[in-house]
Amino acid sequence: MPIPISAIAFYAIATIIVASALIVAFSKNIVYSAFALLGTLIGAAALYIFLQSDFLAATQVIVYIGGIAVLFLFAVMLTHNIEKSVGSNPHMGLRTVVPFAFLVLGFLIYAAVDHNWNIQAVRNSDPTVHKIGNAFLNEYLLPFEFASVILLVVLVGAALVARREIGARISQREES
Amino acid sequence: MQSAPTNVSYLFLLALVPFVGALINGLFGYKVQSKHGKRPIHWIAVAASATTFLISVKAFLDVKAGGPIEQNLWPWFDLGEGSSIKANIAFRVDQLSSVMLLIVSGVGSLIHVFSTGYMQDEKPYWRYFAWLNLFMGMMLILVTGDSFLLMFVGWEGVGLASYLLIGYYYQELPKAQAGMKAFLVNRIGDFAFIIGMAMIFWAAVDAAEATNTAGSILRFADLSTMFQNDAFVTAFLAKESMGVPVIHLGCILLFVGAAGKSAQIPLYVWLPDAMAGPTPVSALIHAATMVTAGVYMIVRLSFLFSLSTVAMTVIACVGAATALFAATIGLFQTDIKRVLAYSTVSQLGYMFLGVGVGAFGAGIFHLMTHAFFKACLFLGSGSIIYAMHHRQDMKDMGGLRKILPVTFWTFLISTLAISGIPGLSGFFSKDEILWRAYDTNNLLIPGEVLWVIGVIAAACTAFYMFRLVFQVFFNEPRADEHTLEHAHEHKSMTIPLVILAVLAIGGGYLGLPAWTGAPNLLDDWMEPVTEQAKLNTTWKTDVAHGHAGAKKEVKSLDAKISKLDLATEQGKAQSGYLVWRKAKLEKQITTKKASGISAFHSHSGEFILMGSSVLLALLAIFAAWRLYGRRYRDPENERALFGEKLHNLLLNKYFVDEIYAKYITNPALAFMRAVAWVDKNIVDGVVNLSAFIMKVCAWIIGSLDVRIVDGMVNGMASGCRVIAGRVRTIQTGRVQNYIMAAVVGTTVLILVTFIV
Amino acid sequence: MFEIGLTHFLVLTSILFCLGFITVVTRKNAIGILLGVELILNAATINFIAFSHYVESPTAEGFIGGHIFAIFIITMAAAEAAVSLAIVMGVYNYYKTIEVDKVAVMRD
């Protein structure tokens, strides 16, 4: 029987994600880890498309990759010594944690495989933008507003936290 | 029969006043003496004793007027309803007690006065008078106590006072030992006394229950009333212990107690040694009062003793033997006080001889006259000793006739009295006893034997007493110049001597013998006390006077017995005593005319006996005059004269003390040493061993406590510290660790839930 | 195996989650830790969407709550990343290093 294209697609995307995640977890170079995160996020976006959630895939790419990942890269650039990029992301206590993580993994996989999920026969493949918009303004209005408040707070707070340091940095520069 | 006793309220003073005197002198005497000298001390003491004499006179007059008087102070114990064992703290003065009271307090007061002079150079003056008053109080309790128990209190009390007074010079060991000897020998007697009392109580209680008589067996008055009940007496006589009737055992044991107190064989050994005490003490205690307690007790219980022929025989024999024994020892003694001591023992023997044959009145009579002349003799010797600067050996004396005249004349009078010279008191009393001894038909041995012993003893008495007089007062003085210069008589001493000498002469007229036709005042006075005993004693003269009296008595007894049914228990119970009396009288009736002197139906028999004893006494005095009147003979001389062996034996008092020491004291001491060894090594060893074990256990427990318990505690503490140190590291402060921990925890939880 | 079902997604997200967990717990670099957090968040988001797609929903249109939640996750992730990176900058300015064991002043 021929392998369905969905399976190939899925496995390819899964490989990308897992490989990137491995690099994030085990690389000794922080820059590599940061870029690998990029890869994971792209993979995740691909998965969203696979799962027929169009809006979310777009959101993922724009916000996560375009915003958060870039932010991470900025932070990496600002906080590390260029000469020493190789040993800039060391590990500690790998030996204890990895077997344990395998154990946890085992549990999760067992739970996933063993359970009889209530799978629906026919899956919906309507575009979701319309539904999400409706939901945000009808059922999930409060969380929506709340999230906007949080974002405002975060904005102010981050600015506050960062500002002092910049001020200190400038004064330091002027002293030296 | 006695009339019902009257209640008075002053009898307690007899005991209280001397005790108060003793207390004051005892507690405050030292201070008073150091501040104010000796005067207040003897004023208090003499006042106390004089007061008791006055009270005794009042008591005597009251008894004379209305019969016995008594005073009931407090109940002592009572074993309940229907029990015959009851005793109170109560005093009772009847005819016998009143005589004793007068003697004790009268002679005692005179001796108090004498002591003020004799003891004036002594430092612990106050102690002497305190004990002397104590003695008076105790003796008065003895003679006025209305029950066995109170009498016994006084009995023990005088023993104590005697010990304290004999040991007055306790700083010298032999004198302290003399006091202890007196107390110990006394104690042996008291032991027998207590057992005897217990036996009497036992029999009396049983008899009282059997016959349902009321009253307390402890009270003398009640007991004597019970003994008037024939049924009671029968029940009492029937009581046996180990096959021997209790009455014999009890009376003999009581007599042993009396022998201890009154210095009879074998318990007389303390009296000669008691001369270590001051001379007035010897006069009071060992002549006039304490030693007479035994005689008093027997006369008080005459109704009891007269029922036991065995006991009476024992008493009479021991009395006679003691009289002779002591008299022979006194023959060659060189110490004045020793001579007088043995003389006292001998005269006490006479008293017991008297009461033993049944002449209770005569015994008390001799007690009284002896008190007078013996006290006079002792006080006289005290005067001599004081003049001779406390020397007592006759070799240092001699020729004191001119130097101490009053002493000499009073001494001479008393010596004549003790020798039994007619006209003086000793003659009347001693002769009464000897006559009665001859006359008795009451004992298991013929009375004639006792009479012979008594007469020989009288002869010896006369001999050694005059030997004493000649050696001390006649011939050339043997003392040194210095002593003779200072020798003089003291007024406080001579006055009592004179008074006593007068009494020694006049006291005899209270008990004139029957042949003079005059009434025997003392016997008549004592009648109510002794009449019960008289029923049970028989005399040879009664035999000779025709059996009319006896035959009538037998007839009445027969009538009484026939009324009872001898077959029944009750009949037997009531008839026993009557049958006993009847048998006695019948024996009397069938006694043929007494052997020897046939003129018993008149008083001439008595007269002849009396004459022979007087003759013997005069011969003895003559012999003493011949031997000692012209010259002094020292012990060497006497030994040459009388024979080495005899002199040695008598001078060393038959080595009795040595025999006692060898066969009684030393084994007892050896036993004591053995017991002490056991106690020291074994008992103390056990105690020490247990203490040692205790120490070991304590050490074990201690180290357990230190090592294990403390170890545990410390271990826990350090364990806590160690664990805490390790656990502390959980808090790393790192979020990564916390996340790890959270996931681990969740995993574990899931594991547990799924697998378990 | 070739018919992609919910299970496949769950296994994938589990792997992602564990890798993210390893990253969080073992990294010394602060930013490395934050990368791990991002991985975990992503795994959760994928899970949500997978469930939203595969599991029966009460309405015919399908349950949109999964998507909504995923949007919120992304939003919060952004917020959190902003703040935490500002803090990391501050720490870097003061200590000149962002390795967590060198900055563990309070531990001692």
Side-chain angles (χ1 to χ4, degrees):
Chain A
M1 155 159 127
I3 303 171
I5 191 72
S6 58
I8 298 174
F10 175 75
Y11 280 115
I13 299 171
T15 316
I16 294 172
I17 291 180
V18 174
S20 305
L22 282 169
I23 296 172
V24 170
F26 295 111
S27 168
K28 292 238 175 19
N29 194 335
I30 187 70
V31 183
Y32 286 177
S33 298
F35 274 99
L37 183 71
L38 218 62
T40 314
L41 296 172
I42 292 172
L47 272 185
Y48 293 153
I49 294 176
F50 186 87
L51 288 171
Q52 314 272 2
S53 37
D54 40 7
F55 180 71
L56 213 56
T59 314
Q60 170 93 341
V61 172
I62 296 169
V63 173
Y64 235 120
I65 299 172
I68 296 171
V70 170
L71 188 60
F72 268 111
L73 287 167
F74 267 116
V76 166
M77 292 309 153
L78 285 171
T79 60
H80 102 284
N81 220 335
I82 299 290
E83 287 92 37
K84 282 204 317 178
S85 75
V86 175
S88 57
N89 198 8
H91 290 280
M92 60 176 178
L94 255 186
R95 286 222 187 110
T96 13
V97 177
V98 168
F100 186 72
F102 267 112
L103 189 68
V104 173
L105 181 64
F107 273 135
L108 289 170
I109 291 176
Y110 175 74
V113 168
D114 198 46
H115 192 261
N116 195 4
W117 301 108
N118 213 357
I119 311 249
Q120 57 188 7
V122 177
R123 288 175 231 131
N124 207 320
S125 55
D126 290 341
T128 57
V129 182
H130 186 231
K131 293 186 210 164
I132 289 172
N134 261 342
F136 265 134
L137 291 170
N138 284 320
E139 296 135 38
Y140 300 99
L141 183 60
L142 181 61
F144 180 63
E145 299 301 333
F146 214 68
S148 54
V149 171
I150 287 179
L151 285 171
L152 174 68
V153 168
V154 164
L155 185 66
V156 171
L160 192 67
V161 169
R163 213 177 84 165
R164 260 199 225 114
E165 275 67 46
I166 290 177
R169 232 169 125 221
I170 293 173
S171 61
Q172 268 181 352
R173 272 237 188 104
E174 280 168 1
E175 279 167 23
S176 62
Chain B
M1 283 295 171
Q2 291 271 35
S3 52
T6 42
N7 267 314
V8 296
S9 56
Y10 58 81
L11 287 179
F12 75 98
L13 289 170
L14 284 170
L16 185 68
V17 169
F19 282 144
V20 166
L23 212 66
I24 294 176
N25 271 334
L27 291 177
F28 307 113
Y30 186 74
K31 283 228 187 83
V32 170
Q33 189 177 321
S34 13
K35 260 210 238 161
H36 305 286
K38 301 193 168 121
R39 260 184 170 248
I41 310 280
H42 66 237
W43 269 114
I44 293 173
V46 173
S49 66
T51 315
T52 49
F53 179 67
L54 291 172
I55 299 174
S56 308
V57 170
K58 171 148 182 26
F60 174 79
L61 293 172
D62 278 348
V63 172
K64 190 156 187 292
I69 53 173
E70 61 181 24
Q71 179 178 10
N72 207 326
L73 286 176
W74 306 289
W76 189 349
F77 60 79
D78 181 339
L79 286 190
E81 276 297 317
S83 157
S84 49
I85 302 182
K86 294 183 258 249
N88 296 333
I89 308 275
F91 299 110
R92 187 170 191 275
V93 176
D94 61 355
Q95 290 82 358
L96 171 64
S97 293
S98 59
V99 169
M100 296 293 298
L101 275 181
L102 286 172
I103 297 173
V104 170
S105 56
V107 175
S109 305
L110 289 172
I111 292 178
H112 272 83
V113 173
F114 183 89
S115 305
T116 61
Y118 186 83
M119 302 292 288
Q120 62 187 312
D121 298 325
E122 294 290 335
K123 200 150 176 306
Y125 195 68
W126 55 275
R127 185 157 45 95
Y128 173 84
F129 279 104
W131 297 152
L132 210 62
N133 268 353
L134 177 72
F135 171 83
M136 280 271 279
M138 286 295 184
M139 188 70 198
L140 291 169
I141 290 183
L142 200 162
V143 296
T144 55
D146 84 327
S147 62
F148 273 99
L149 301 179
L150 209 53
M151 181 178 87
F152 194 64
V153 168
W155 189 275
E156 295 282 346
V158 297
L160 170 72
S162 162
Y163 159 74
L164 290 169
L165 284 163
I166 294 172
Y168 179 70
Y169 300 111
Y170 63 85
Q171 288 92 349
E172 297 163 48
L173 184 62
K175 308 212 174 175
Q177 283 175 334
M180 281 199 283
K181 186 172 179 179
F183 197 78
L184 285 171
V185 175
N186 226 300
R187 211 77 195 96
I188 296 172
D190 290 346
F191 174 64
F193 190 82
I194 291 176
I195 298 181
M197 271 206 297
M199 293 197 130
I200 301 294
F201 293 163
W202 180 41
V205 167
D206 275 355
E209 264 175 43
T211 56
N212 249 339
T213 32
S216 164
I217 55 136
L218 296 176
R219 277 191 84 220
F220 295 127
D222 286 358
L223 194 62
S224 76
T225 317
M226 283 189 215
F227 269 87
Q228 287 164 4
N229 179 347
D230 296 333
F232 181 88
V233 176
T234 313
F236 193 93
L237 290 176
K239 190 100 186 132
E240 285 196 4
S241 162
M242 304 180 287
V244 180
V246 165
I247 185 158
H248 298 316
L249 281 177
C251 291
I252 292 177
L253 286 168
L254 285 173
F255 169 64
V256 173
K261 188 81 71 222
S262 304
Q264 298 297 291
I265 292 173
L267 299 170
Y268 69 92
V269 290
W270 63 273
L271 192 58
D273 286 350
M275 297 300 121
T279 313
V281 166
S282 309
L284 180 62
I285 299 184
H286 311 125
T289 46
M290 187 182 97
V291 292
T292 56
V295 183
Y296 163 76
M297 187 265 292
I298 294 185
V299 176
R300 171 65 73 209
L301 296 171
S302 55
F303 56 83
L304 182 66
F305 278 92
S306 56
L307 287 169
S308 163
T309 24
V310 173
M312 297 286 267
T313 315
V314 168
I315 296 174
C317 291
V318 170
T322 310
L324 183 58
F325 186 78
T328 52
I329 297 181
L331 288 173
F332 295 124
Q333 297 294 322
T334 53
D335 183 334
I336 305 184
K337 284 177 73 174
R338 290 267 154 142
V339 176
L340 293 175
Y342 284 108
S343 158
T344 306
V345 175
S346 177
Q347 296 302 309
L348 286 166
Y350 271 109
M351 290 183 224
F352 282 104
L353 174 62
V355 296
V357 299
F360 300 99
I364 296 293
F365 187 31
H366 195 59
L367 191 156
M368 187 175 77
T369 59
H370 175 264
F372 296 145
F373 57 68
K374 192 45 72 61
C376 185
L377 285 170
F378 264 110
L379 294 185
S381 71
S383 171
I384 296 168
I385 291 169
Y386 181 76
M388 291 286 112
H389 287 271
H390 290 280
R391 243 180 296 220
Q392 294 177 210
D393 198 317
M394 286 198 277
K395 69 181 191 303
D396 299 322
M397 303 177 189
L400 295 177
R401 204 165 23 137
K402 304 272 170 26
I403 305 174
L404 309 171
V406 178
T407 310
F408 169 65
W409 283 108
T410 53
F411 205 91
L412 186 62
I413 291 171
S414 304
T415 313
L416 287 169
I418 198 175
S419 308
I421 300 304
L424 296 156
S425 60
F427 161 70
F428 293 112
S429 60
K430 191 183 287 194
D431 238 60
E432 183 74 20
I433 289 179
L434 287 172
W435 160 239
R436 289 280 180 214
Y438 191 94
D439 193 26
T440 185
N441 203 13
N442 209 22
L443 303 178
L444 305 172
I445 58 166
E448 292 86 335
V449 175
L450 297 170
W451 180 84
V452 168
I453 296 176
V455 167
I456 299 176
C460 291
T461 306
F463 181 80
Y464 68 69
M465 286 310 297
F466 271 93
R467 168 176 174 269
L468 180 65
V469 170
F470 293 138
Q471 296 229 346
V472 171
F473 291 107
F474 284 70
N475 302 319
E476 294 304 314
R478 295 183 290 281
D480 55 79
E481 282 292 322
H482 174 79
T483 321
L484 286 173
E485 263 176 21
H486 292 272
H488 66 281
E489 291 175 317
H490 208 261
K491 215 186 329 174
S492 62
M493 298 195 226
T494 50
I495 296 178
L497 282 173
V498 168
I499 298 176
L500 285 168
V502 167
L503 286 169
I505 299 174
Y509 293 95
L510 289 172
L512 292 167
W515 55 263
T516 53
N520 190 332
L521 294 170
L522 191 64
D523 249 2
D524 292 338
W525 172 251
M526 296 275 288
E527 181 71 21
V529 179
T530 56
E531 61 180 351
Q532 237 181 301
K534 283 207 178 127
L535 289 175
N536 298 324
T537 52
T538 54
W539 308 101
K540 294 200 190 73
T541 39
D542 292 345
V543 173
H545 276 149
H547 307 294
K551 283 195 181 134
K552 207 164 52 166
E553 177 95 39
V554 170
K555 268 218 198 77
S556 74
L557 281 175
D558 264 335
K560 272 197 211 157
I561 291 172
S562 60
K563 275 209 207 106
L564 304 165
D565 185 4
L566 282 168
T568 66
E569 277 293 322
Q570 198 193 21
K572 265 207 220 110
Q574 286 191 337
S575 68
Y577 173 56
L578 300 171
V579 167
W580 179 79
R581 276 202 20 218
K582 186 173 133 183
K584 245 190 161 162
L585 290 166
E586 278 172 350
K587 169 184 167 229
Q588 174 143 312
I589 294 170
T590 55
T591 307
K592 298 283 190 264
K593 302 251 167 93
S595 58
I597 299 168
S598 59
F600 270 124
H601 53 278
S602 74
H603 291 299
S604 48
E606 192 183 338
F607 201 72
I608 294 174
L609 291 173
M610 179 208 79
S612 40
S613 69
V614 170
L615 195 62
L616 220 59
L618 286 170
L619 277 173
I621 296 174
F622 182 67
W625 163 254
R626 286 288 300 205
L627 286 171
Y628 299 97
R630 292 282 167 71
R631 47 175 288 208
Y632 168 71
R633 292 178 191 273
D634 57 7
E636 262 74 56
N637 202 314
E638 285 175 331
R639 225 170 297 204
L641 203 58
F642 293 102
E644 180 105 15
K645 272 212 192 123
L646 182 69
H647 188 265
N648 232 6
L649 186 66
L650 294 181
L651 184 57
N652 288 310
K653 35 194 172 65
Y654 295 97
F655 300 102
V656 169
D657 277 323
E658 286 78 1
I659 294 173
Y660 277 3
K662 186 161 163 199
Y663 290 106
I664 297 175
T665 324
N666 284 345
L669 285 174
F671 180 63
M672 174 212 86
R673 273 188 273 275
V675 173
W677 182 90
V678 168
D679 179 51
K680 186 159 173 249
N681 294 339
I682 296 178
V683 176
D684 281 2
V686 169
V687 173
N688 290 345
L689 183 69
S690 62
F692 176 72
I693 291 175
M694 206 58 55
K695 248 175 54 173
V696 167
C697 285
W699 179 87
I700 291 175
I701 292 175
S703 61
L704 265 177
D705 181 47
V706 169
R707 302 226 184 103
I708 294 179
V709 175
D710 283 359
M712 263 169 47
V713 172
N714 292 344
M716 270 206 285
S718 57
C720 266
R721 206 182 324 125
V722 165
I723 291 173
R726 302 281 162 78
V727 171
R728 186 161 45 99
T729 57
I730 289 179
Q731 251 195 4
T732 57
R734 289 205 221 143
V735 181
Q736 290 167 299
N737 297 103
Y738 295 161
I739 292 172
M740 180 70 180
V743 175
V744 165
T746 317
T747 315
V748 168
L749 210 62
I750 293 169
L751 253 175
V752 164
T753 319
F754 268 95
I755 296 179
V756 173
Chain C
M1 182 175 155
F2 290 121
E3 194 59 49
I4 304 301
L6 179 60
T7 331
H8 297 82
F9 278 97
L10 293 183
V11 171
L12 175 64
T13 53
S14 306
I15 295 171
L16 207 57
F17 173 80
C18 287
L19 287 171
F21 173 67
I22 289 172
T23 314
V24 168
V25 175
T26 58
R27 289 294 193 180
K28 279 200 199 162
N29 197 322
I31 298 178
I33 300 171
L34 289 168
L35 293 173
V37 173
E38 292 305 323
L39 278 180
I40 291 172
L41 285 171
N42 260 292
T45 318
I46 296 174
N47 237 0
F48 269 109
I49 304 301
F51 272 110
S52 167
H53 186 253
Y54 279 104
V55 171
E56 236 177 55
S57 72
T59 61
E61 282 186 346
F63 184 59
I64 204 66
H67 292 87
I68 304 292
F69 210 88
I71 292 178
F72 278 124
I73 290 176
I74 294 172
T75 316
M76 294 308 125
E80 168 251 324
V83 175
S84 55
L85 286 170
I87 293 173
V88 167
M89 300 304 300
V91 168
Y92 179 73
N93 281 332
Y94 191 78
Y95 287 102
K96 301 294 179 277
T97 175
I98 51 169
E99 294 198 6
V100 289
D101 54 347
K102 293 203 175 75
V103 186
V105 173
M106 273 174 77
R107 178 154 189 265
D108 301 326

